[in-house]
């Protein structure tokens, strides 16, 4: 396992280091600025994509319906036991204890980083269930003052295509302007139109990422479009739960999501609920 360490320092602190010593007011402002902790981007080996079949439309098939070949847990070397294969689907068996609360669970990623791509899959949820589809994700850890290493959640570095039972999960009524309903860019842009099929029925998701332009599609309709690494993206982050004031590390990582190479993992969320995924395929566009 290879680890690359990046140390993050707030702009305000950097300005304070070069400021003249007599400017006490500026020094006070520096002291009050939220600190972004040091973090590590964990670089694990990636699977050889050429070993996976390509279908007639040029998509690489990421899930064969039978095995977890190419998949593992986020920041893990194995597939957590709550992820199973059932009737040709990847299923997360809900723990009922909420997001990230089960030792046997955790988020699932396909172990290859993608840059410009179209990914397609189908999903369905049980009544009241919650999950998400991640892309451009990095594996991030931080270290406490006592030396304890903390595994940061996948969504600290990754945009999220929301997967939700809109009719029965309370998160559908939170956020702003329905921006936590299915196919939305979670907590930032609502999916319009909202054309979700109800719980127990299959929905088709498609995510396109190309040179910073991102499009979410749900059941054959484009419902979200935005542009990464722009002022629009920074402003959306600042207006969300990932703002610099509320969560400085998430703000920094998401503001440059995909890292230096603008690439990352595709992942599925364990939010403690029963959710199924199938027909997962991806086409690289570069």
């Amino acid at each position: 396992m290879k680890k690359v360490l990046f140390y993050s320092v707030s702009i305000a602190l950097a300005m304070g280091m070069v400021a003249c010593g007599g400017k006490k007011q500026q020094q006070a402002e520096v002291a009050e600025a939220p600190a972004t902790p040091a973090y590590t981007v964990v670089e694990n080996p990636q699977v050889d994509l050429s070993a996976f079949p390509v279908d007639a439309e040029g998509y690489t098939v990421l899930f064969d319906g039978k095995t977890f070949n190419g998949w593992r847990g986020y920041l893990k070397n194995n597939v957590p036991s709550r992820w199973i294969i059932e009737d040709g689907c990847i299923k997360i068996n809900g723990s009922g204890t909420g997001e990230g609360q089960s030792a046997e669970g955790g988020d699932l990623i396909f172990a290859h980083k993608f840059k410009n791509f179209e990914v397609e899959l189908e999903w369905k949820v049980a009544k009241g269930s919650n999950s998400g589809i991640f892309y451009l994700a990095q594996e991030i850890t931080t270290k406490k003052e006592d030396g304890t290493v903390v595994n940061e959640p996948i969504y600290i570095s990754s945009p999220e295509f929301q997967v939700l039972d809109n009719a029965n999960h309370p998160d559908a009524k939170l956020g702003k302007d329905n921006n936590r309903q299915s196919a939305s860019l979670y907590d930032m842009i609502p999916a319009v139109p909202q054309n979700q099929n109800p719980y127990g029925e299959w929905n088709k998701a498609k995510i396109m990422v190309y040179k910073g332009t991102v499009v979410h599609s749900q059941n054959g309709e484009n419902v979200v479009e935005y542009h990464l690494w722009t002022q629009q993206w920074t402003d959306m982050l600042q207006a969300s739960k990932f703002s610099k004031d509320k969560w400085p590390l998430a703000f920094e990582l998401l503001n440059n999501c995909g890292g230096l190479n603008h690439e990352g993992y595709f992942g599925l969320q364990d939010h403690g609920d029963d959710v199924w995924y199938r027909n997962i395929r991806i086409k690289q566009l570069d």
Side-chain angles (χ1 to χ4, degrees), residues 134-201:
F134 298 108
Y135 48 96
L136 298 177
Q138 309 298 308
E139 294 184 291
I140 303 295
T141 64
T142 54
K143 186 177 288 187
K144 293 182 179 180
E145 291 183 0
D146 64 2
T148 303
V149 175
V150 177
N151 289 345
E152 298 292 343
I154 191 172
Y155 52 79
I156 201 170
S157 70
S158 171
E160 178 181 351
F161 178 115
Q162 174 77 308
V163 169
L164 194 76
D165 175 9
N166 291 339
N168 296 288
H169 195 286
D171 210 25
K173 298 180 176 63
L174 301 177
K176 183 179 180 181
D177 299 328
N178 300 321
N179 66 5
R180 295 189 182 184
Q181 294 190 3
S182 71
S184 297
L185 173 63
Y186 176 75
D187 207 54
M188 284 184 268
I189 304 178
V192 178
Q194 181 50 253
N195 60 347
Q196 181 201 66
N197 294 325
Y199 75 88
E201 297 184 18

Side-chain angles (χ1 to χ4, degrees), residues 3-243:
K3 295 187 177 181
V4 180
L5 184 62
F6 294 85
Y7 289 98
S8 172
V9 183
S10 70
I11 295 175
L13 180 57
M15 292 174 63
M17 290 175 65
V18 299
C20 295
K23 297 183 179 180
K24 295 182 179 180
Q25 182 177 356
Q26 290 185 7
Q27 290 174 351
E29 290 173 355
V30 168
E32 294 172 0
T36 305
Y39 62 90
T40 300
V41 180
V42 181
E43 298 288 359
N44 283 306
Q46 297 185 46
V47 299
D48 181 2
L49 206 62
S50 67
F52 292 79
V54 177
D55 66 19
E57 296 179 88
Y59 286 81
T60 300
V61 178
L62 300 186
F63 173 57
D64 61 12
K66 300 176 183 179
T67 71
F68 280 113
N69 185 29
W71 296 82
R72 61 175 175 82
Y74 171 79
L75 284 170
K76 295 181 179 179
N77 295 318
N78 64 303
V79 174
S81 61
R82 284 197 174 274
W83 291 96
I84 65 169
I85 295 172
E86 178 181 280
D87 298 328
C89 305
I90 291 178
K91 181 190 178 186
I92 176 65
N93 276 327
S95 62
T97 56
E99 179 184 5
Q101 299 301 311
S102 169
E104 300 82 22
D107 300 324
L108 190 70
I109 63 172
F110 186 82
H112 185 90
K113 289 186 175 181
F114 298 97
K115 187 171 185 177
N116 298 314
F117 57 87
E118 289 181 350
V119 62
E120 293 184 351
L121 65 159
E122 293 176 282
W123 60 269
K124 70 176 180 179
V125 293
K127 184 176 181 179
S129 288
N130 186 341
S131 184
I133 302 167
F134 298 108
Y135 48 96
L136 298 177
Q138 309 298 308
E139 294 184 291
I140 303 295
T141 64
T142 54
K143 186 177 288 187
K144 293 182 179 180
E145 291 183 0
D146 64 2
T148 303
V149 175
V150 177
N151 289 345
E152 298 292 343
I154 191 172
Y155 52 79
I156 201 170
S157 70
S158 171
E160 178 181 351
F161 178 115
Q162 174 77 308
V163 169
L164 194 76
D165 175 9
N166 291 339
N168 296 288
H169 195 286
D171 210 25
K173 298 180 176 63
L174 301 177
K176 183 179 180 181
D177 299 328
N178 300 321
N179 66 5
R180 295 189 182 184
Q181 294 190 3
S182 71
S184 297
L185 173 63
Y186 176 75
D187 207 54
M188 284 184 268
I189 304 178
V192 178
Q194 181 50 253
N195 60 347
Q196 181 201 66
N197 294 325
Y199 75 88
E201 297 184 18
W202 287 103
N203 291 270
K204 186 171 183 178
K206 182 176 181 178
I207 303 166
M208 185 203 75
V209 177
Y210 187 70
K211 297 181 179 180
T213 295
V214 182
V215 177
H216 291 186
S217 299
Q218 181 167 255
N219 296 324
E221 292 187 79
N222 293 342
V223 295
V224 166
E225 180 177 344
Y226 68 99
H227 304 276
L228 292 167
W229 317 306
T230 63
Q231 189 61 48
Q232 175 208 31
W233 175 239
T234 301
D235 292 345
M236 287 194 301
L237 287 171
Q238 187 58 31
S240 75
K241 66 185 285 184
F242 308 109
S243 72

